[in-house]
Amino acid sequence: MEMDLNAQVKKAGFLQRLKDFPSKLKDSVTKRMKNVHKLGKDDPRRIIHSIKVGLSLTLVSMLYYVRPLYDSFGVSGMWAILTVVVVSEFTVGGTLSKGLNRGFATLIAGALGVGAVHLARFCGHKGEPIVLGILVFSLGAAATFSRFFPKIKQRYDYGALIFILTFSMVAVSGYRTDEILVIAYQRLSTILIGGTICILVSIFVFPVWAGEDLHKMVANNIIKLANSLEGFEGEYFPSSEKTSKETKSCVREYKNILTSKSTEDTLANLARWEPGHGRFRLRHPWTKYLKIAGLVRQCAFHFEILNGYVLSDAKAPQDFISKIQEPCSIMSREAGEALKAIAKSIKTMSRYNVCVSTHIKNSKNAIENLRLALKLSFPETEEDLLEIIPVVTMASTLIDIVNYVEKIFEAVEEFSVLAHFKETLDPKLSPELGQHQLLHKGTVKPVLEGDNEEEYNNSPHVVIAVHDEQPATVNEKTVNLGAEKTTVVVV
C-alpha cells in the first residue's frame, strides 16, 4: 500500500514538473536574453568587436573559397583562420601585440627550423634525428626560460610561445618531408595574411584604443576620489549642507580604485603597441599614467581608513567635533575641487595649474587652522583624550589625503609637460583680465575737482596707477630688491 502511495506521489511530482517546464524554460530564456542585452548595453563596443571578428574570418576564408588562392596555398590556408581566431583582441593594442608577436616569432622560428633541418642532414641519416633533438631541446628550453624575465613576460610572452611551437613543428616535420621550404613559405604567408587582415580591420573599423581607455580610466578614478571626499564630508558631519542620503552613494566610490592595478598595467602595456592617434602622439608617455594611478590608489587606501570612521559607532564629544568641523570641511572640499580640476586637466589635456594650486593652498591653510584648533581645544584629562583619539586620527588621515592630492598634482604636472598639454588660463578669469593681472597691479579712481559726491560720479577724468614690480638687480654699489615703480596716467 505504501509503495503504491509513493509511486502516486512520484508520478504527481513528475507531472507537475512537466507542467511547469514551459514556464521555467520561458523564464530562463527571458533571463538570459536580459543578461545579453545588459552586456551589450553596458559597452556597445563588444557587439562591434564581435562583428569585426566575423568580418575578419570571412575575409580570410577566401583563401579556401577562391580557387586560385586555394591552388597557391592549399590546406595551409587553415593557418590564416587560426591566426584570426587567436590574434583578434578587443583593443587595437592587443591585436597589434599578438599580431606582431606571432608574425615575427613565426618568421624567426621558421627560418631557424629550416636551417636546423638542413644542418642536421649534413650529419647523415643516423645523426640527423640526434642533432634535431638537441636543437629542439636547446632552443625550446632557452625560449621557455626567457619567458620568466618580467619584461619579456609582459610584452613578448605570446611571441616566445609561438616561437617554441613553430620551431618545434618545422624542425620535427622537416625530418619526414623534402618540401620543407614550400611548407614553411605557405604557413608563413597565410599567417602574415591573417595577421594583416586582423590588424587592418582592428585599426580602420571602429577602433578601440587601449590608450584612450587608460586615459579615461585614470581621470575617472580621480573623479571618484573627489566624489568620495565630498561624500565623507556629508557623512561624518551630518550638520553640513549635504545630507547623508545624497552622499551615501558617493563616499564609497573609491573602492573600485583599490582593485584597478591589473587593468591599468594591461592597458598601459597594450597602449605602447599602438600607433599615434588623435591627441596621443607616437611616443606618448604611457608609463606616467601608471605613476599617477599608483598615487591615486595609495590615496584611495586612506579613504578606506576614513570609511571606517564613518561607519564607527564611537563618536567624540559634539563640542569637540564642532571645533574642528570647519577646517576639516574646508580641507575635504578644497581637496575635492583640486582633484576635479586635475581630472579635467587630464581629460581635456590642458593645464589648470593656477586653479589646482589655489585649491591646494586653501587646503593647506585649513590644515594650519585645524592644528591651531586642536591646540586650543586639547583636553587635559586622560578620559577626554581617549574619547577624541579617533577624531584626531581621522583629521590626520585627512591631512595625509591632502598631501597625496598635492603629489598627484605634481605627477600630473610632470606628465603634462611630456604629453604637451595645452596652456590655459584660470577658467574663473577672462583671458584679457588674466593677462592684465599677471603683468600689472594697479588702481583706478576718478579725478575729483571738488568734494561733492555728484562731481565724484560725473567726473570725465580718471587716474590709473600702475604698479610694476621690477626684478631684483645687483650691481657693484647698491642692491635693489623688488623696487616698485608707479606710473600715473590721467585720462
Side-chain angles (χ1 to χ4, degrees):
M1 191 71 179
E2 292 181 0
M3 294 179 62
D4 294 340
L5 183 61
N6 291 334
Q8 291 179 0
V9 171
K10 290 182 180 180
K11 184 178 179 180
F14 174 75
L15 292 175
Q16 184 64 34
R17 287 194 299 272
L18 188 63
K19 182 179 179 181
D20 296 339
F21 177 75
S23 60
K24 288 184 178 180
L25 179 62
K26 180 181 178 181
D27 294 340
S28 177
V29 172
T30 303
K31 183 179 179 181
R32 293 183 183 279
M33 290 299 294
K34 287 182 179 179
N35 290 337
V36 171
H37 179 265
K38 183 178 182 300
L39 189 66
K41 188 176 180 181
D42 290 342
D43 193 351
R45 298 180 303 175
R46 295 168 179 166
I47 301 175
I48 297 175
H49 172 68
S50 304
I51 296 174
K52 288 162 63 176
V53 173
L55 175 62
S56 300
L57 286 172
T58 303
L59 291 176
V60 297
S61 298
M62 296 299 172
L63 295 176
Y64 266 79
Y65 298 152
V66 179
R67 190 68 188 182
L69 294 177
Y70 180 78
D71 293 338
S72 300
F73 298 103
V75 294
S76 295
M78 188 61 64
W79 286 92
I81 297 176
L82 293 175
T83 300
V84 170
V85 173
V86 299
V87 166
S88 295
E89 291 290 331
F90 184 66
T91 61
V92 174
T95 303
L96 280 170
S97 173
K98 278 197 168 183
L100 294 178
N101 267 285
R102 186 176 180 86
F104 283 109
T106 302
L107 178 62
I108 296 172
L112 289 177
V114 173
V117 170
H118 284 284
L119 177 64
R121 286 178 179 173
F122 286 110
C123 300
H125 185 69
K126 292 183 178 180
E128 184 176 356
I130 298 174
V131 173
L132 285 176
I134 293 173
L135 290 175
V136 169
F137 169 79
S138 302
L139 289 179
T144 302
F145 183 75
S146 69
R147 297 177 64 192
F148 290 104
F149 289 93
K151 289 186 177 179
I152 295 179
K153 180 74 174 177
Q154 185 180 27
R155 303 196 66 181
Y156 308 110
D157 184 68
Y158 183 71
L161 183 66
I162 294 300
F163 174 86
I164 298 169
L165 177 65
T166 304
F167 176 78
S168 301
M169 291 180 65
V170 172
V172 173
S173 62
Y175 180 70
R176 295 295 182 182
T177 180
D178 295 329
E179 299 179 352
I180 184 66
L181 285 176
V182 176
I183 295 174
Y185 166 74
Q186 289 179 342
R187 289 184 181 179
L188 178 61
S189 300
T190 53
I191 287 173
L192 291 178
I193 290 172
T196 302
I197 288 176
C198 279
I199 292 173
L200 292 177
V201 170
S202 179
I203 293 177
F204 295 106
V205 181
F206 298 101
V208 178
W209 302 100
E212 286 188 4
D213 286 352
L214 177 64
H215 186 85
K216 293 176 182 177
M217 185 177 185
V218 172
N220 290 335
N221 284 346
I222 295 176
I223 291 178
K224 289 176 182 178
L225 287 184
N227 293 337
S228 296
L229 266 178
E230 293 182 352
F232 167 76
E233 180 189 352
E235 283 285 303
Y236 198 82
F237 303 111
S239 58
S240 61
E241 296 178 359
K242 297 177 182 178
T243 63
S244 177
K245 184 177 179 180
E246 294 173 342
T247 59
K248 189 170 291 186
S249 59
C250 297
V251 72
R252 295 174 185 85
E253 285 192 11
Y254 70 90
K255 287 188 176 292
N256 293 333
I257 303 174
L258 302 177
T259 57
S260 62
K261 186 179 187 306
S262 60
T263 304
E264 292 162 353
D265 290 342
T266 302
L267 290 176
N269 179 43
L270 297 180
R272 295 173 191 164
W273 292 93
E274 296 177 346
H277 56 279
R279 301 173 297 173
F280 308 105
R281 305 191 179 199
L282 181 60
R283 298 182 63 84
H284 193 71
W286 299 112
T287 55
K288 294 298 180 182
Y289 285 100
L290 298 181
K291 180 181 179 181
I292 298 171
L295 292 172
V296 171
R297 193 159 37 255
Q298 292 176 27
C299 188
F301 284 124
H302 287 75
F303 280 93
E304 186 75 11
I305 301 174
L306 283 183
N307 190 37
Y309 291 110
V310 171
L311 300 176
S312 176
D313 295 331
K315 299 294 181 182
Q318 188 60 39
D319 57 342
F320 181 78
I321 293 180
S322 61
K323 292 177 182 178
I324 68 169
Q325 175 177 348
E326 183 178 356
C328 286
S329 298
I330 293 175
M331 265 195 295
S332 60
R333 194 178 310 119
E334 292 294 332
E337 292 297 328
L339 288 171
K340 287 182 178 179
I342 292 172
K344 182 180 179 183
S345 175
I346 294 176
K347 278 189 172 182
T348 61
M349 297 189 74
S350 305
R351 293 183 181 176
Y352 295 99
N353 296 352
V354 177
C355 179
V356 178
S357 299
T358 302
H359 290 304
I360 292 177
K361 184 178 179 181
N362 293 339
S363 299
K364 290 190 171 183
N365 292 337
I367 291 175
E368 296 301 324
N369 295 335
L370 175 63
R371 289 173 178 167
L372 181 61
L374 289 174
K375 287 180 180 179
L376 295 177
S377 58
F378 204 81
E380 298 180 357
T381 65
E382 184 179 354
E383 182 179 355
D384 294 337
L385 181 61
L386 292 175
E387 289 181 354
I388 69 166
I389 283 178
V391 184
V392 175
T393 308
M394 177 275 298
S396 175
T397 305
L398 202 56
I399 292 174
D400 290 338
I401 289 176
V402 173
N403 293 332
Y404 269 107
V405 171
E406 186 176 13
K407 291 180 181 178
I408 293 171
F409 171 58
E410 292 173 355
V412 172
E413 195 172 11
E414 178 186 356
F415 166 67
S416 67
V417 176
L418 298 175
H420 306 284
F421 279 19
K422 295 184 296 183
E423 293 285 349
T424 57
L425 293 174
D426 190 340
K428 295 181 180 179
L429 301 174
S430 65
E432 296 81 4
L433 184 58
Q435 292 177 358
H436 177 74
Q437 289 189 351
L438 290 174
L439 294 174
H440 303 292
K441 294 179 180 179
T443 58
V444 179
K445 65 178 181 179
V447 176
L448 303 181
E449 297 180 356
D451 296 330
N452 193 336
E453 184 178 356
E454 183 177 354
E455 292 180 350
Y456 180 92
N457 294 329
N458 296 329
S459 174
H461 303 289
V462 295
V463 174
I464 304 175
V466 180
H467 309 288
D468 262 343
E469 289 191 359
Q470 302 298 327
T473 58
V474 181
N475 54 36
E476 296 179 356
K477 297 182 180 179
T478 61
V479 178
N480 181 14
L481 296 176
E484 186 180 275
K485 181 178 71 176
T486 304
T487 304
V488 179
V489 181
V490 179
V491 182

